[in-house]
Amino acid sequence: MPEKTYREALREAMVQEMENDESVLLMGEDIGVYGGTHLITDGLLDMFGPRRVVDTPISEGGFTGAAVGMAMTGLKPIVEMMTWNFSFLAADQIIQNAAKVRYFSGGQVEVPLVIRGPNGGGVQLSAQHTHSLENMYGHFPGLKVVSPVTPNDVKGMMLTAIRDPNPVIFLEAGALYGTKGEVPEGDNAVPFGKARVAREGDDVTLVSYGRQVNLCMRVADKLEEEDDVSAEVIDVRSIRPLDEETLVESVKKTHRAVAVQEQWRYFGVASEVAAIIQDKAFDYLDAPVERVSGAETPAPFARNLELAAFPNEDMVADAARRVLYEKVV
Amino acid sequence: MPEVIMPKMGDAMEEGTLLKWLKSEGDQVEEGDAIAEIETDKASMEIEAEDSGTLAQLIASEGDDIPVGGAIAFIQGEGEEVPERDGSESGGQAEQEEAEASGDEGGDAQAQTATETEEESEAGEEAPSGDGAQAAGGTNGQVRASPIVRRLARENSLDLSRIEGSGPQGRIVERDVRAALESGEAPTTDGQDGQAEQQADGQAQEVEAPEEVQPEQAEQQGFQPAKLPEPAQTPGTQLMEPTRMQRVIGERMTEAKQHIPHFYATVEVKMDATMALRKQLNEQLEEEGLKLSVNDFVMKACAVSLRNYPNLNAIYTSKGIELHETVDMAMAVALDAGLITPVIKDCASKGLASISRESKDLAQRARDGDLTPDEYQGATFTLSNMGMFGVESFTAIINPPQAAIVAVSGIVKRPSYDEDGEVVPASMMKLTLSADHRIANGRDGALYMAEVKRTLETPMLLVV
């Protein structure tokens, strides 16, 4: 199977669907002539022309609103947020219109809209440019929210997102655009609402999504080496709908769970994961579900502080050791 | 958007298994069309569409167990939308899990199959020191222990107050219980030594397959689940999942054998007179296309004889022994998937011809899976006949909450003495009564069986 970068896989999905379906088009700041701030759409203006690769003004609320209107009237726009931090300006369009039009119209009007861009931090962009917004968008019925981490999943989930008749919030692992992985040619659509067991294990379940999945995989190796502990790693990848079944089944096997997220601790996805596990696997738990989260502070710029503010291997491994009662406090 | 739900086919029904889809997703269905086949613990039947439209979504998969009221499909009328089913791709299972979690039985699938009494005791056990533990002086309510430890303690009747916890603030965690079980020194709430060892052996398996253990039952009855061997899984072996019906039979028979103090009484009946009468009647009835079986006579005889022994035609209820005037006679019918006991209502008042017609019809429809719940529920007495298989004698397990059951064996030709002391051939048949000693005593059983014997040996009594 060919190896591709996350960026190439993402681009491939959009090209594939643009070739298959004339109603698919791209919109965003600097995505055409410049090729995209993160070069995701590089070369696509030449392939599809300015009517399908539309450079917009710096006006997130305006072009997102326009895209909602296009989607309502039959097009399938893919809107690039240069980063998800700028989506606050478009939140009114996303939450008040995109998420609700289908409901308001009694199902008569669909909004087949994809909004995509890099989410999260880790590359010293400081407080205003470092947010993980999966819990915020995941909160609203009417939106679907996904956060793929592998090149295979970013392609497969983008195919599914474009074909979905509902607005999809597509959160990319911005720090991982250059990472490589196997990606099949053709249609590898990955369904929403189905978590991926990234590594099988018996003693503790590490639950995560996006960039933190790679962290959990490293921690699983570490736990195996240092503690002879077999950790299962679950990549949730679809935040809403959330695959409760895979979580519950895993915890029924391991009896312990650690939920890892880059975003802040309170009201985050990890809290939701912990709630589901205690609700549906209570009698199988041997320890409270641990959450490992970002520090309760706006993201710092300084590299040493930024590293300290995000989950790292030691934090996750320690949490796993606590639920395994290796560290008794 | 009408939901098709798992119907409640009987009072005791809590869930059903979706056996087979008869329609596919996207098919047009008319009101009244059969769309799926379901199986309850008693029978299988078809679910009919209550609306017309497109079968837009099959939520459940074949083989899924769906709680009563749980959605199994959507029928989409014209211009309607299929609703989003958030949370999971396999909506059926998500739905089911939600139902389980929101039900008052708790989230465990095991609770779904628990009987009502078990639910009550589970609900009453909110302070985790359940009746059993308290009686034995256990203090499981006050110790710190993780949820899985409490579950293991329930399943193995462990006294947690005597296990040292290695977690924070002395919390007992899974490894502490496992160590105790493995060492064979796990303290049990009933204080019986030697059991711990047994449990330690069977322990690994119980933890692997907790669904199979009935902790509440185990605690209430002081019954320890037997040590089950691991499957050999060698070539030439095959692991079979019991059907829903087989599981229910197993549960009910286990319950009967554990709760009901059975006693038995066997009589040998000389059947020549009945055989002769049967031959004579069948010749007369041939034109009507009716053929009486020996079983019809035995059923009638057992029913009529009960008139003087009401405590054998009784139900053991929560409030006492309920004596029934009417004999609603269940008869065991063997099926490929198990067995079922359709009921001939008011059997004592019916003529042999009615009994014969009705029993043939019920047996046929039982084999076809076409019985309705009221046709196999509510019996007061049961007959089980294995005579047609050449069985010479057997005893049956009482069908709770009934008081008694009669096992009918085959007719065997034997030498016997006539009035002059000459050896003559006779057709002999053994009947064995199993009765509940909480309801009836040996004398009742003996006198009743003597009455049945007298009736069958003087079969004209059955036609008057």
Side-chain angles (χ1 to χ4, degrees):
Chain A
M1 212 181 292
E3 286 236 323
K4 295 199 174 94
T5 62
Y6 193 95
R7 175 185 287 114
E8 287 162 352
L10 178 57
R11 184 189 300 139
E12 189 172 295
M14 294 192 288
V15 168
Q16 200 168 303
E17 282 309 277
M18 288 178 82
E19 283 171 347
N20 287 342
D21 185 345
E22 282 201 341
S23 56
V24 179
L25 73 148
L26 309 181
M27 298 172 72
E29 295 158 0
D30 283 338
I31 66 163
V33 177
Y34 186 65
T37 306
H38 308 282
L39 297 177
I40 305 299
T41 52
D42 195 21
L44 300 193
L45 177 64
D46 295 339
M47 286 175 75
F48 296 102
R51 287 179 60 81
R52 296 185 69 194
V53 181
V54 183
D55 271 322
T56 65
I58 305 177
S59 60
E60 283 79 6
F63 65 74
T64 304
V68 172
M70 290 174 178
M72 289 170 64
T73 50
L75 295 177
K76 292 175 185 165
I78 304 171
V79 171
E80 174 173 307
M81 287 291 156
M82 189 182 289
T83 77
W84 273 99
N85 305 289
F86 310 145
S87 76
F88 292 121
L89 288 159
D92 187 58
Q93 289 297 343
I94 298 170
I95 295 164
Q96 296 285 41
N97 291 331
K100 295 182 179 132
V101 161
R102 180 169 170 174
Y103 175 78
F104 285 156
S105 69
Q108 295 177 82
V109 180
E110 294 177 336
V111 185
L113 167 67
V114 180
I115 309 177
R116 51 151 292 267
N119 179 54
V123 284
Q124 277 191 284
L125 289 174
S126 188
Q128 289 178 317
H129 284 188
T130 303
H131 287 96
S132 296
L133 297 183
E134 54 277 10
N135 63 327
M136 174 177 134
Y137 288 114
H139 190 60
F140 295 100
L143 297 178
K144 295 189 178 181
V145 182
V146 298
S147 180
V149 64
T150 66
N152 174 70
D153 284 355
V154 80
K155 178 181 171 190
M157 296 188 97
M158 178 52 80
L159 291 175
T160 304
I162 298 169
R163 294 166 190 170
D164 198 292
N166 301 289
V168 176
I169 304 298
F170 200 91
L171 305 170
E172 294 154 13
L176 303 181
Y177 280 138
T179 54
K180 283 194 170 179
E182 289 190 341
V183 181
E185 300 291 350
D187 192 336
N188 71 328
V190 172
F192 292 173
K194 190 81 200 107
R196 177 177 70 99
V197 179
R199 172 191 170 120
E200 290 196 15
D202 299 318
D203 299 329
V204 57
T205 301
L206 308 178
V207 185
S208 190
Y209 53 91
R211 190 164 73 100
Q212 309 304 323
V213 173
N214 293 347
L215 170 66
C216 289
M217 294 295 274
R218 293 198 299 275
V219 170
D221 287 342
K222 183 185 172 86
L223 288 171
E224 184 167 34
E225 263 172 45
E226 296 175 11
D227 303 68
D228 197 22
V229 160
S230 156
E232 179 145 304
V233 178
I234 292 183
D235 172 9
V236 168
R237 72 183 175 180
S238 172
I239 308 294
R240 184 186 187 105
L242 188 62
D243 180 0
E244 302 189 355
E245 193 186 344
T246 299
L247 295 176
V248 170
E249 284 310 308
S250 176
V251 172
K252 282 186 176 175
K253 175 172 67 169
T254 63
H255 307 157
R256 297 150 195 99
V258 176
V260 184
Q261 62 182 10
E262 186 175 302
Q263 62 179 191
W264 295 297
R265 177 182 179 91
Y266 291 92
F267 320 112
V269 173
S271 302
E272 192 58 43
V273 166
I276 288 164
I277 290 171
Q278 70 84 15
D279 187 17
K280 300 199 167 164
F282 183 76
D283 279 328
Y284 293 84
L285 279 175
D286 194 38
V289 180
E290 284 266 350
R291 285 169 294 165
V292 179
S293 313
E296 293 289 325
T297 169
F301 169 76
R303 186 63 182 154
N304 60 335
L305 294 179
E306 186 183 47
L307 286 174
F310 288 141
N312 60 39
E313 284 181 32
D314 285 340
M315 288 157 75
V316 179
D318 279 356
R321 287 166 183 148
R322 280 194 299 276
V323 298
L324 286 155
Y325 298 111
E326 287 183 17
K327 278 195 168 178
V328 174
V329 282
Chain B
M1 171 63 56
E3 259 184 0
V4 181
I5 60 165
M6 176 61 66
K8 193 170 176 78
M9 304 302 294
D11 280 347
M13 175 171 168
E14 287 171 355
E15 60 175 6
T17 306
L18 182 82
L19 277 187
K20 196 167 160 222
W21 282 111
L22 302 174
K23 299 277 184 188
S24 311
E25 202 160 279
D27 282 1
Q28 286 296 319
V29 295
E30 296 295 321
E31 190 180 331
D33 283 358
I35 58 173
E37 219 172 279
I38 59 164
E39 183 188 41
T40 71
D41 51 4
K42 299 283 191 186
S44 54
M45 63 201 80
E46 291 174 348
I47 295 189
E48 293 177 356
E50 292 181 357
D51 300 271
S52 302
T54 309
L55 194 56
Q57 197 176 25
L58 306 185
I59 299 164
S61 309
E62 292 183 358
D64 281 358
D65 293 338
I66 319 288
V68 166
I72 62 168
F74 276 108
I75 295 176
Q76 183 183 19
E78 211 169 315
E80 285 181 330
E81 286 280 341
V82 183
E84 288 302 321
R85 304 189 64 76
D86 262 352
S88 166
E89 279 290 299
S90 50
Q93 274 161 333
E95 177 89 348
Q96 196 184 340
E97 291 213 342
E98 267 162 37
E100 278 172 9
S102 61
D104 38 21
E105 302 143 319
D108 200 326
Q110 161 184 341
Q112 290 280 318
T113 55
T115 65
E116 262 175 42
T117 41
E118 281 164 349
E119 271 168 43
E120 275 164 27
S121 68
E122 205 166 14
E125 215 189 21
E126 277 194 89
S129 60
D131 300 0
Q134 230 150 27
T139 51
N140 289 356
Q142 280 107 57
V143 298
R144 280 175 194 272
S146 73
I148 194 170
V149 165
R150 292 199 186 279
R151 184 163 65 85
L152 290 172
R154 277 201 302 275
E155 286 170 9
N156 295 287
S157 304
L158 298 182
D159 182 358
L160 292 179
S161 65
R162 288 152 65 195
I163 295 179
E164 203 170 324
S166 66
Q169 283 103 44
R171 182 191 298 155
I172 304 170
V173 300
E174 193 183 354
R175 63 169 172 229
D176 303 326
V177 174
R178 297 221 183 275
L181 287 167
E182 272 160 30
S183 72
E185 287 162 14
T188 57
T189 46
D190 48 16
Q192 283 177 33
D193 294 333
Q195 278 192 335
E197 211 167 40
Q198 265 185 342
Q199 284 157 3
D201 289 341
Q203 199 272 119
Q205 180 153 18
E206 284 161 27
V207 173
E208 297 295 327
E211 301 76 34
E212 287 167 19
V213 185
Q214 295 285 335
E216 309 302 339
Q217 231 174 9
E219 215 167 75
Q220 283 164 8
Q221 299 157 16
F223 160 78
Q224 296 302 326
K227 178 185 157 188
L228 303 174
E230 286 291 328
Q233 307 251 30
T234 48
T237 65
Q238 190 188 354
L239 210 53
M240 194 190 79
E241 177 90 0
T243 61
R244 162 169 295 278
M245 183 181 269
Q246 192 56 50
R247 284 206 307 269
V248 171
I249 292 170
E251 278 167 24
R252 299 204 50 190
M253 292 299 100
T254 306
E255 188 201 332
K257 270 290 197 179
Q258 281 170 4
H259 281 281
I260 303 178
H262 286 61
F263 73 87
Y264 310 98
T266 303
V267 293
E268 199 170 23
V269 184
K270 190 163 181 291
M271 290 295 283
D272 297 82
T274 294
M275 305 278 277
L277 177 62
R278 172 176 174 247
K279 188 158 177 259
Q280 190 189 337
L281 289 174
N282 278 346
E283 277 165 12
Q284 312 278 334
L285 292 168
E286 202 176 352
E287 280 179 18
E288 293 177 40
L290 194 65
K291 195 175 172 197
L292 303 175
S293 68
V294 173
N295 195 59
D296 299 332
F297 285 84
V298 178
M299 240 186 307
K300 174 82 177 170
C302 286
V304 171
S305 304
L306 279 170
R307 280 178 185 151
N308 294 325
Y309 301 93
N311 57 349
L312 291 172
N313 190 47
I315 300 294
Y316 198 76
T317 74
S318 57
K319 300 211 171 71
I321 297 160
E322 189 174 68
L323 306 179
H324 283 242
E325 272 181 22
T326 309
V327 180
D328 294 331
M329 172 84 66
M331 54 175 202
V333 175
L335 308 174
D336 289 342
L339 74 103
I340 193 164
T341 52
V343 185
I344 296 182
K345 302 231 162 72
D346 198 4
C347 186
S349 308
K350 283 183 176 151
L352 283 165
S354 314
I355 292 174
S356 185
R357 268 192 218 100
E358 223 175 290
S359 62
K360 282 193 182 70
D361 171 56
L362 287 170
Q364 186 54 48
R365 286 193 294 116
R367 286 183 207 106
D368 296 345
D370 275 345
L371 293 178
T372 59
D374 65 330
E375 288 177 316
Y376 56 73
Q377 289 175 355
T380 58
F381 191 90
T382 301
L383 207 66
S384 175
N385 188 340
M386 295 215 281
M388 60 291 235
F389 305 121
V391 167
E392 201 176 326
S393 164
F394 75 104
T395 57
I397 301 175
I398 293 170
N399 189 7
Q402 296 163 26
I405 184 168
V406 167
V408 184
S409 303
I411 296 175
V412 185
K413 275 247 194 271
R414 263 198 240 287
S416 75
Y417 296 103
D418 68 5
E419 285 157 7
D420 304 327
E422 299 288 329
V423 176
V424 292
S427 299
M428 306 303 290
M429 178 182 75
K430 281 183 178 159
L431 297 178
T432 300
L433 171 82
S434 308
D436 184 342
H437 222 317
R438 298 171 304 180
I439 305 179
N441 295 318
R443 192 185 60 168
D444 308 313
L447 289 175
Y448 168 69
M449 290 312 283
E451 175 73 13
V452 174
K453 176 179 160 79
R454 187 179 76 89
T455 311
L456 282 171
E457 290 180 350
T458 325
M460 287 311 281
L461 291 172
L462 294 175
V463 289
V464 293

